Structure formats: structure tokens, C-alpha cells
Amino acid sequence: MNIIGISGLHHSVGFKKREFPGLPSRNYRIAQGFDSAAALVNHGEVLAGAAEERFTGDKATGAFPVHAIRYCLQAGNLKPEQVDYVAHGFSYEPFKAFFDEEEYRRKQYAEVYSPEVQKGLIEQHFPSANWDGKFVPVLHHLAHAASAFFLSGFEEALIMVSDGMGEVHSMTMAVGRGSDIQVLKQIPALHSLGTFYGVFTLYLGFYMGLDEYKVMGLAPYGNPRRHYERLMEFVRLKNDGTYAIPIFARDQTLSERETHAGVMRFLVEQFGPAREPDSEITQDHKDIAAALQAVLQTCQIHVLRHFRKETGQSNLCLAGGVALNCSANGVIKRSRLFQNMFVQPAAGDDGTSLGAALYTQRQLDAGFKPRRMSLPLWGPEFGEDEMKQALSERPDCKSAKYESFDSVCQDIATRLDQGQIVAWFQGRMEFGPRALGSRSILADPRDPTMRDRINQLVKKREAFRPFAPVVAKEAAARFFDIQTGEEDTYAHMLFVMPVRPAFRDKLPAITHVDGSARAQTVARDHNPRLWQLLNEFEKRSGLPILLNTSFNVKGQPIVCTPKEALDTFLFAKLDVLVLGDYVVVPR
């Protein structure tokens, strides 16, 4: 059974711009339906998955994922008529009565959310197939839950889905058993922890729903104690393991609800003027970010302690946009509330394409069996002919193909040891927001100037943002606060953990200001090329660790094709590009 899952809401931003013209661009991110993607599943196996942004260059786009669907069809060697079902990671029809209560919501449902709109987009872009009876809406949080539990390898687990909102909910607690998911408790969108973090992201001068990871990176520079008690006054922890966030009642008019203007006024009253985008970041901003991060972690631990005790579950699965908060994930892991944790690597809304497909297969295929995933290498792959063609079109660079990959690794490890910055383009593209060794920029973690060099010259981004290390799996526990035997938990770069004190000064490029790092472990079986490079680098440096960041520049999605790799390599003025078996340098 071939099922394609999709995410995104194509008309969401266009509708808001039409109804609320002239808003600042950051206000148009206050909407549902970004991160559109497509994934192909057959008999519980993920055959392909990619976000639409990787094909269009429009970062975090919510546009109908026509290019991602075409890729999935190509990867599965399918024609549109061979697709049995298309599953969508939203299902608004059960809540239609809520949207009927006011004119704006009725129009929004009819033009953005209704299943007829989504079916119409499929029929418009793929008219050769008969789609009658093939469209399956899946509740947003069930799609998130399925994306995590069905790929975790756990027989049973507590599942926490937390995001800004999905339809009308912002958190769902559930238990997965075998191939079943049972919802235990849900928190309405009016009390969203994800939106709470998001409005502070907006207050701090960033894009809500896009830049929360910047606030997470800023938090270690601040003192959480300064504002923690005041922020906790905005949240009410409840005895049933949930919470309420009453400040959202300050958004009283439709315009305020669509922009959070009421909440923003309240934050200005409490903390002073909001930071303007691209203006100076003060110590006060850092302290607010630190307190916000601490409140998020307090709320999550409150919820998890309650449901751990109520269910007795010792395994935990996380999904939803809040599950991309790697610092909070690290706190949960170190709490030892759970023996095992799994965070779905595409935990944001792109992952609901995957979860919707898996959930639909579970509902319709009696033979469905969950399975544990390894790396999410489900994106496009390019052969030598395509690489040669891309190289032939670039007279401003020169390339060489080595006799063996051993020779490539020896050369690149030497260059890294000499301080060169390396672009690394190998195999299938990763699914999700993290560069896990297929589309990466790599550098020496020992160089104390390296983080600033890459931030200023290559990534063109804020100086406070840290870079992550990638480390050979068998050596990870020596350098990072990881329990031996749990190294696979960290394969997707979704947990922050302390760098062991003896190595903090030796790894300045990847050690954050608080002594932490967001390490990714690399197993020989899962990524043999990157693993080999790490071991070659160890022969020269004594460290099987590299700085690893995504292969892109500011405002650009991670590169997908060889042409994009060459364009970005040259634009960013990197030292060397490894394109498959080719070593490329500028002329």
C-alpha cells in the first residue's frame, strides 16, 4: 500500500494577508501550516521524505508540497495513479462548529482548512489520477504522535506532543502500545506553551514560529533567576498534570488574536519596550530568554512527572515543534524520569507528513508493523553524472576525483587539521531541520576562532549562536555527558548535554558559554563516510570530533542539489567542497 503523507496549508498566509493587509512581515508567521513536506510510506517503511523548501528555496514554506510529492513519486518509481492514499497532517472537519461561530473563522475554514481545499490542490497538480476516496485527513497531534511512536522501536511509551497549536489543541499526552495510540489528555490552544515561547520570541525581536531556536541559544548567556518568578506568574500548574496560561486572554479582539498585540502590550508593561529586529541584544534580553527557557522546562517536567506516575511508562516519545528545543530535551533526559527517550528528528510540522502517512497505514493496513528508524536519510540522492554535469558548468572552480574514498578522507582530514572549512555533500539528503552528515559544513572544533569565522563569514548570523559537534559513536561518552550504551539516542542532534570538563577548553568551537553542546553521534553502520572522516581526523588531532553545521547560508534552506552545493560553496567562500567522490576548490 503506497501512502503519501503531506503537511502544510497552502492558503494560510495568503488568506491572512488578504484579511489583514499591511502587517509587519513577522506577524504573517503567526499562522498554521508552515513547513510543508511530503513522505512516502509502504508497509510501515519510509521510502522517501523531503520538505518543500528544499526544492523551492522558500525557507519554512507552507506552500502545497508539489515538488516534494513529485520527488516521492520518483523515489518510489510510482505514477500518481499508483498512490493508494494521500494523508494530510491536519483534520479540521471535527471542529467545524467552532469555526462556524464567527464570520472570519467561517471564511478561514472554507478557504484554508477544509478538506475540500486540500483535495482540490491535489487534483490541480496531479490531474491524471482519480483521487476520489483517496484523501485522508489526520488530526495534527495524532500525526505528530505517530511520527514518533511508530519509528521509536518501543513496544510501549508515553508520548508528549507539544507545539504552537494543531487544529484547536497545543499539547497532547498519549500512550502508545504495539500499533495503537491512546490519547490521555489534551491542552487547548488558548493555553499553548509553544505559543508562549513564541510570543517571547517575537518580543525579543525574532520571528515567531521560526526563530525559537535562537532564543534557546541565547538563554545560556542570561541569568534565569532574575525574571523566573515573574514569568512563572503567567503560568498556572494544575494538579492533573496540565497547566493554564491565562495571559492569552489579553488578546481580546480578532486583530489582537491574529497578532498577539494584547499579549505584546502586556509584555512591554512588564519588561519594557520590545527589542527591534537586528538591534543590539542587551543583558536584559539574555536574562528574559534564560527565564523563558527555565519556565518551559519547569512546565514540561511538571507534565511528565504526573503522566509518568499515572501510566507507569518508562519510555518517552516526543514530537511537535517544542520537541526541537534541544536544551529542554537534555533536561528531560538528565532527569532520569524515563529509561529511554526518542525524539522524532523532523519533530516540527514537516514531520506530520510522515506521521499522517504512518497513521493512515496503521488504520488501513492490517499487516502494519512499527519499526525503529536509524538516520532519516530519505531525501534526494545524486549520481556521478549529475555531479559531473554541475561541475562542468562552473569554470570558477576546479575538481579532482580521487582513486578511493580513503584518499578523499585523508586529504580532507589534513585540510581540517590545518584549519580549512569544508562543505560536505554526500548521499541522500536528510529529512528534518538538522544536517546529520549528508549536507554539512565541517570544521576543526579545537580552533577558538572557528565559531566566529563561520558565523561572520559563512553563515552571516548572530554571534551568540552555537555550533554542534559531530562525534564518532564509540568515543562519544568520553567527551560528552552521555551514558555508555545510550549513544544511539543522540544520533539525531536533538539533545543538549554537558561537555565533560576536561575537554571544554580543548573544544572551544563547539562548547557553548554554559559548557554544553548539542552533540550528534555517528555510527559506522549508519553513516560510514562521515564516520571514516572522523577517524581520519582523530589520527591527526587526537579527537574524533568535528564542528558540524548545516550546508546553507542565512535565509537559505539546506542545499539539495549538486548545483546548489556549488553555488553555496562559492558564495560562502568555503575552502573545499567534497561532492560525492570529488574534491572541489575555487580557482
Side-chain angles (χ1 to χ4, degrees):
M1 184 181 294
N2 298 306
I3 300 179
I4 287 182
I6 60 172
S7 61
L9 292 166
H10 181 77
H11 297 296
S12 185
V13 173
F15 174 82
K16 186 164 184 173
K17 286 182 175 180
R18 191 167 63 251
E19 295 293 316
F20 292 93
L23 293 177
S25 61
R26 289 190 300 150
N27 286 129
Y28 292 120
R29 282 289 311 183
I30 305 173
Q32 287 204 80
F34 292 98
D35 297 322
S36 64
L40 172 64
V41 170
N42 183 285
H43 296 301
E45 181 180 358
V46 183
L47 302 180
E52 184 70 3
E53 66 168 19
R54 306 294 174 88
F55 304 96
T56 66
D58 184 7
K59 195 168 185 178
T61 182
F64 182 74
V66 58
H67 300 88
I69 293 172
R70 286 175 182 154
Y71 158 67
C72 287
L73 293 171
Q74 178 188 15
N77 196 26
L78 298 172
K79 297 177 181 178
E81 49 268 32
Q82 292 175 290
V83 175
D84 295 292
Y85 295 97
V86 174
H88 187 214
F90 281 107
S91 180
Y92 281 90
E93 203 164 20
F95 310 103
K96 189 174 184 301
F98 167 79
F99 288 92
D100 284 341
E101 291 178 0
E102 61 182 41
E103 178 62 23
Y104 176 81
R105 298 299 180 201
R106 281 196 296 272
K107 289 171 62 178
Q108 189 178 43
Y109 180 88
E111 298 181 31
V112 180
Y113 298 148
S114 79
E116 286 73 22
V117 171
Q118 320 312 325
K119 286 186 284 187
L121 289 165
I122 297 167
E123 291 165 352
Q124 173 188 334
H125 290 288
F126 299 96
S128 64
N130 180 5
W131 298 104
D132 289 346
K134 290 186 175 183
F135 180 75
V136 183
V138 177
L139 289 168
H140 191 67
H141 281 195
L142 276 180
H144 272 309
S147 76
F149 178 62
F150 290 154
L151 296 176
S152 67
F154 299 148
E155 286 294 322
E156 295 188 6
L158 183 66
I159 306 166
M160 181 166 73
V161 175
S162 181
D163 58 11
M165 65 183 293
E167 293 103 16
V168 299
H169 296 112
S170 64
M171 178 178 279
T172 294
M173 299 301 300
V175 168
R177 292 186 179 91
S179 60
D180 293 323
I181 295 173
Q182 176 190 0
V183 172
L184 302 175
K185 184 81 74 172
Q186 294 186 294
I187 296 177
L190 184 60
H191 300 282
S192 172
L193 188 59
T195 303
F196 183 73
Y197 204 98
V199 294
F200 273 94
T201 300
L202 195 65
Y203 173 83
L204 290 170
F206 302 114
Y207 274 79
M208 178 177 172
L210 187 66
D211 289 339
E212 281 79 357
Y213 67 99
K214 295 182 181 181
V215 178
M216 179 186 73
L218 184 63
Y221 290 92
N223 174 10
R225 292 185 295 276
R226 184 175 169 213
H227 296 297
Y228 176 80
E229 293 297 336
R230 194 186 314 183
L231 262 68
M232 279 303 300
E233 291 175 2
F234 307 157
V235 179
R236 182 162 54 88
L237 302 180
K238 299 165 73 173
N239 292 334
D240 65 353
T242 66
Y243 48 78
I245 306 179
I247 66 168
F248 289 115
R250 293 177 179 271
D251 291 328
Q252 295 187 350
T253 67
L254 175 61
S255 176
E256 288 176 347
R257 291 195 297 271
E258 289 295 307
T259 62
H260 292 301
V263 177
M264 290 294 286
R265 281 197 304 273
F266 176 70
L267 296 184
V268 168
E269 292 168 6
Q270 296 293 312
F271 302 104
R275 174 179 171 261
E276 291 297 321
D278 300 319
S279 67
E280 178 190 0
I281 296 175
T282 67
Q283 187 59 48
D284 201 36
H285 298 138
K286 297 172 186 176
D287 293 343
I288 291 169
L292 176 66
Q293 182 66 33
V295 168
L296 172 75
Q297 292 161 185
T298 296
C299 292
Q300 287 191 306
I301 292 293
H302 166 75
V303 173
L304 291 170
R305 278 190 178 133
H306 177 91
F307 287 98
R308 168 72 173 89
K309 183 177 180 180
E310 182 177 283
T311 65
Q313 293 294 329
S314 59
N315 300 321
L316 175 66
C317 293
L318 300 180
V322 177
L324 291 173
N325 191 301
C326 306
S327 295
N329 295 348
V331 168
I332 296 167
K333 180 67 177 167
R334 291 191 296 278
S335 75
R336 311 308 292 180
L337 277 170
F338 300 90
Q339 292 180 15
N340 304 292
M341 281 180 65
F342 175 77
V343 185
Q344 206 278 104
D349 275 10
D350 48 352
T352 62
S353 63
L354 177 63
L358 289 167
Y359 188 81
T360 300
Q361 188 131 59
R362 156 66 183 88
Q363 298 299 98
L364 301 174
D365 184 351
F368 173 80
K369 289 184 179 179
R371 60 186 73 195
R372 182 175 178 83
M373 65 172 287
S374 57
L375 287 182
L377 302 180
W378 301 321
E381 184 173 20
F382 300 89
E384 184 176 344
D385 288 345
E386 292 157 304
M387 293 181 184
K388 286 173 67 175
Q389 178 63 35
L391 287 165
S392 72
E393 297 170 357
R394 295 306 306 238
D396 46 356
C397 63
K398 55 184 178 180
S399 63
K401 186 178 180 185
Y402 288 32
E403 291 183 0
S404 68
F405 191 71
D406 289 348
S407 299
V408 172
C409 274
Q410 290 163 13
D411 180 25
I412 298 304
T414 299
R415 291 173 182 269
L416 288 162
D417 188 47
Q418 294 170 348
Q420 293 192 24
I421 301 173
V422 175
W424 184 259
F425 184 101
Q426 300 291 323
R428 296 187 74 174
M429 183 178 69
E430 305 94 335
F431 183 61
R434 306 286 185 237
L436 301 176
S438 290
R439 307 287 188 272
S440 289
I441 294 173
L442 306 173
D444 187 345
R446 300 168 300 169
D447 185 343
T449 70
M450 188 59 73
R451 189 175 76 172
D452 288 342
R453 282 176 60 195
I454 297 178
N455 267 331
Q456 293 171 12
L457 301 177
V458 181
K459 303 288 278 189
K460 315 291 186 188
R461 67 183 203 176
E462 298 88 353
F464 66 81
R465 288 169 55 190
F467 287 108
V470 60
V471 57
K473 170 185 169 181
E474 56 274 14
R478 181 156 52 103
F479 298 97
F480 303 99
D481 188 6
I482 293 172
Q483 294 292 318
T484 301
E486 295 185 351
E487 292 88 352
D488 286 340
T489 301
Y490 304 93
H492 302 139
M493 202 193 293
L494 285 165
F495 294 86
V496 167
M497 74 287 292
V499 180
R500 295 204 183 276
F503 295 101
R504 291 175 185 175
D505 290 341
K506 297 177 182 178
L507 297 168
I510 57 86
T511 301
H512 205 18
V513 65
D514 61 350
S516 70
R518 190 183 67 201
Q520 174 203 349
T521 58
V522 177
R524 184 175 192 173
D525 292 345
H526 296 159
N527 196 329
R529 290 196 162 203
L530 183 56
W531 182 89
Q532 185 175 344
L533 179 64
L534 288 166
N535 280 273
E536 282 294 332
F537 184 71
E538 183 181 23
K539 293 175 184 177
R540 290 152 180 79
S541 67
L543 300 168
I545 302 170
L546 290 169
L547 180 155
N548 174 29
T549 188
S550 55
F551 190 177
N552 63 333
V553 292
K554 184 178 180 180
Q556 174 195 28
I558 297 174
V559 301
C560 177
T561 67
K563 180 183 183 304
E564 291 168 1
L566 284 160
D567 290 345
T568 303
F569 161 64
L570 292 163
F571 174 80
K573 295 182 172 59
L574 301 172
D575 296 304
V576 60
L577 164 65
V578 186
L579 188 69
D581 291 333
Y582 289 92
V583 175
V584 186
V585 295
R587 285 195 184 275

